[in-house]
Amino acid sequence: MTLGVDNSILYSDLIGHTRKITKTDSTKFLVADIKALLNLYYHEFVNEILKSGSDIDFNLETGLINLAADTATYSITGKVLRIKRVEVQWESGGAWYPVEIRNIVGESSDPLDTTSIGQDYSKSKPYGHLYTVDETLKLDLYPIPSANMTSGLKVWKVLEITELSGTSDEPSIPEAYQKYLCYGSARDYFIEKEMFKKVAEMEKRMFIILNRAISFYASRNENQSYKLESGMPDDYGE
């Protein structure tokens, strides 16, 4: 389903389908509000699939970062949802080494102690620590590079999905699950209007779609198990 034109009342696109569900027109449910809600629930759907344990990546990008001599900390750009892999190349033409990502919080010894680093890690088995500063994802790399290296750090990162804006834009999820966006948008409309039976109906439909979607993505990788961890109600019997 495409996003659709601003005044759409067609079942075949997202804006129109949302208006059909809510029985509204462009004066009762503003197009700016519908678009904002459709994108909000687009983000939510993707995040729920990722949270379930799925290894499917909706917006995977590979980024290259320059290494700087005597510098440990590097910024990873973009709205990052997940880091898949990090590799480092210390010198031009040299081998690429996978960086072991570690959570240093709570370790008994000082993980940044230079003696420990020298004993346990080397250029052939580097490690990194990920954290956020002012909404920017940071990577501390150890051992600390001793020389500059252009594009010496390679990061595979899953970014937030690109929001829908043009009339022909379509969510990058199977069409069978795209109504989740419409039901979510209608849910918020019904909450505002205090139509709580309709709110419950929309939540039931969203829960069913999300559950089916998680099963679908699980079937694309038989080596993984998946768990539904949704905030949606679970007492509707389906």
Side-chain angles (χ1 to χ4, degrees):
M1 299 171 71
T2 60
L3 179 61
V5 298
D6 288 358
N7 61 348
S8 175
I9 54 172
L10 300 175
Y11 276 121
S12 56
D13 60 58
L14 296 170
I15 291 176
H17 199 89
T18 302
R19 285 213 175 98
K20 288 287 189 181
I21 296 170
T22 54
K23 297 181 180 179
T24 58
D25 55 27
S26 57
T27 62
K28 294 180 180 179
F29 199 171
L30 300 179
V31 67
D33 293 338
I34 294 180
K35 287 181 177 180
L37 288 170
L38 288 170
N39 279 307
L40 173 67
Y41 284 100
Y42 186 17
H43 284 289
E44 178 178 285
F45 180 89
V46 169
N47 291 351
E48 287 288 340
I49 296 299
L50 292 175
K51 189 175 73 173
S52 73
S54 173
D55 202 38
I56 302 298
D57 300 317
F58 293 89
N59 193 11
L60 181 63
E61 179 181 292
T62 303
L64 295 172
I65 302 172
N66 295 333
L67 296 181
D70 304 319
T71 301
T73 303
Y74 299 89
S75 297
I76 300 176
T77 59
K79 295 182 178 180
V80 181
L81 296 177
R82 175 184 290 175
I83 296 295
K84 298 288 289 184
R85 183 178 176 87
V86 179
E87 292 184 357
V88 63
Q89 183 186 52
W90 302 106
E91 57 187 16
S92 180
W96 286 92
Y97 297 100
V99 177
E100 177 189 350
I101 302 301
R102 297 178 59 191
N103 180 6
I104 66 173
V105 177
E107 294 190 357
S108 57
S109 60
D110 183 358
L112 305 185
D113 177 71
T114 54
T115 301
S116 299
I117 292 171
Q119 292 174 347
D120 300 331
Y121 294 90
S122 65
K123 287 187 175 181
S124 62
K125 51 176 186 177
Y127 85 89
H129 170 55
L130 291 170
Y131 57 98
T132 302
V133 176
D134 296 330
E135 300 185 356
T136 299
L137 187 62
K138 301 284 187 177
L139 171 71
D140 283 351
L141 177 65
Y142 297 94
I144 298 173
S146 58
N148 296 337
M149 177 62 196
T150 302
S151 303
L153 199 60
K154 186 184 297 185
V155 180
W156 286 261
K157 53 190 176 180
V158 178
L159 302 176
E160 287 193 356
I161 48 89
T162 302
E163 293 191 349
L164 309 171
S165 58
T167 58
S168 60
D169 288 355
E170 184 173 356
S172 57
I173 59 177
E175 188 159 346
Y177 310 124
Q178 292 177 7
K179 289 181 182 178
Y180 182 93
L181 283 60
C182 302
Y183 294 142
S185 302
R187 171 185 175 273
D188 280 28
Y189 174 83
F190 291 134
I191 288 175
E192 183 180 352
K193 300 302 180 182
E194 299 184 349
M195 300 170 66
F196 297 116
K197 287 186 178 180
K198 283 292 188 179
V199 172
E201 179 186 343
M202 295 302 103
E203 289 178 343
K204 176 182 178 180
R205 291 176 181 270
M206 293 168 70
F207 180 81
I208 292 170
I209 289 176
L210 184 60
N211 201 18
R212 290 173 177 170
I214 288 173
S215 297
F216 168 77
Y217 284 108
S219 69
R220 297 176 67 174
N221 188 342
E222 296 179 354
N223 294 324
Q224 291 191 346
S225 60
Y226 293 77
K227 180 181 179 183
L228 176 59
E229 294 182 349
S230 172
M232 296 303 168
D234 58 1
D235 56 349
Y236 294 109
E238 288 192 58

